[in-house]
Amino acid sequence: MTAVAEGGVTREEADAYLDAMVGARADSYRRLFDGSQGEPLMNSEDIMALAVRMRGMQQGGNPGPLAIVMPRAKHEQFARMLGILAVPDRPIRFFSDPVAARAWLDGPAVRDWPKRQAHGRGVA
């Protein structure tokens, strides 16, 4: 599953994306979020509220691997969100390049992650 943010992204738009994921029952899918062309029009409280919501969504299921693409200058702004989203044995990683992010998601260690986890061999 791939989502691309372009231009300004509001809290309402981010919530609509999460609503669509829940409706599609896509929580265990491999996901690429490409925010390299987007600009969050949210304050730190909005970003943390979204992180808390996403964390709650994860607790009820088996969250799939997540690649987040954004400019390096924004990594620090979202590092706390990454900490909230990190759960044991769930592959999650920041990238500056969408091609590298897709390659990571398509690599065998991440692509086969649910099978490995089901056999007790979680990905490090």
Side-chain angles (χ1 to χ4, degrees), residues 39-98:
E39 182 64 35
L41 300 178
M42 296 175 256
N43 60 34
S44 59
E45 289 83 20
D46 288 335
I47 292 170
M48 290 309 297
L50 287 170
V52 168
R53 180 176 176 198
M54 287 186 275
R55 177 65 180 206
M57 291 167 58
Q58 293 178 151
Q59 291 176 343
N62 185 22
L66 174 62
I68 301 169
V69 180
M70 65 180 54
R72 288 199 187 277
K74 299 214 181 276
H75 284 201
E76 188 171 320
Q77 179 182 6
F78 287 90
R80 195 163 168 212
M81 177 186 271
L82 178 62
I84 289 172
L85 295 177
V87 295
D89 297 326
R90 178 199 188 180
I92 184 169
R93 198 164 153 195
F94 273 123
F95 293 88
S96 296
D97 174 44

